[in-house]
Amino acid sequence: MQMHCAQVREHGDVDHLLLEQVPIEQPATDEVRVRLRASALNHLDLWVRKGVPGHRFPLPLIPGCDGAGVVEAVGDGVDEAWIGREVVLIPGVSCGHCTHCRDGNDMLCPEYGILGETRHGTCAETIVVPERQLLDRPEGISWEQAAALPLSALTAWSMLRKARLTTGDTLLVIAAGSGVGTMAIQLGKLLGARIIATGSSGAKRQLAKDLGASHTIDPADPNWWKEVKSQSDGEGADVVFENVGQSTFEGSLRALARGGRLVTCGATSGSQVKVELNRLFFKNQQIIGSTMGRRDDLNRLLRLQQQGLIEPVIDSTFPLQQIHTAHQRMESRESCGKIVITPWKD
Ligand code: ZN
């Protein structure tokens, strides 16, 4: 039996994303096979395709970290009752028994990996994963919505918690149109913050407002950070939510209040940034790095989704055979929210 998938054999432009047919894998001990009903793209998929200097991905590799589907086969040691269950995949894979895993901080596990980065991912018709990657799909949530939530919601939630965002804080969300940005606004609002967001297009700024931002800023103006100050009685933002890096970082630091926390999970525009240390320590500020989050938190986020308190913003949906168009759209930076991949259509 064969399945369709998108696979990276060599890094490069969008043509290096190969549509191939590969044998369907049998689940080994403690593993299950899931027939995917929807997957979602993340910026990580672009890094996997293009490559990252100094980093080796295990090629050939099927990208895709997010997915939801139906369990169709189980390996030894897995209860057959799983077969037919509708599930959402936990994107982070960890050993499950080291100190960090036992403490619930699975993203600190020395063996931590991500679907579609360290092992085959979800841009395929099926995926084999350890049983412990499965969570039940929340009732009443569409396949597309279920697949669009995990990585961006978990990342955003974890960042806001690490930055100790609290009621009454001003939260500045950089790049509100990204998957994590749209989640940060919704979660920030739930945590009682006042939200200012940057968006590089009118559509992205409007989306930020619709999601609950009280003020939006066009980052094209080199002094955009001054507007954060003027919108917060000259104080600046208590928490800055960064995922852009080089092109916005200096402004993000300038927008930060005394005692403020800048938290970052990404560097889509480049990772070399300038930090004025005098300003950082005189103002008692913190820069915090964050990647992924605790698997327990994903349960909480799925509950919030089921209660209608958060909802992934879906930009567009493409069947698997149009994944090139999907990648091009994400790379164009025109998308607002998540790009979802649905099963191959003959
Ligand atoms: Zn571990």
Side-chain angles (χ1 to χ4, degrees), residues 194-245:
R194 180 174 164 271
I195 294 150
I196 301 174
T198 72
S200 57
S201 70
K204 288 177 183 176
R205 293 192 290 277
Q206 186 56 50
L207 173 64
K209 283 208 164 149
D210 294 344
L211 292 173
S214 52
H215 187 80
T216 58
I217 297 173
D218 181 351
D221 173 1
N223 287 320
W224 62 266
W225 56 272
K226 288 186 178 165
E227 220 175 310
V228 181
K229 296 264 178 182
S230 66
Q231 287 294 321
S232 53
D233 299 325
E235 291 287 328
D238 301 294
V239 173
V240 176
F241 185 99
E242 250 288 344
N243 61 90
V244 175

Side-chain angles (χ1 to χ4, degrees), residues 141 145 149 153 183 186-187 190 300-312:
I141 299 297
Q145 285 285 335
L149 182 94
M183 260 312 147
Q186 296 179 64
L187 291 168
L190 278 181
R300 180 198 307 271
L301 291 159
L302 287 167
R303 281 202 302 277
L304 292 178
Q305 184 183 30
Q306 191 168 22
Q307 292 160 13
L309 294 170
I310 54 171
E311 186 181 2

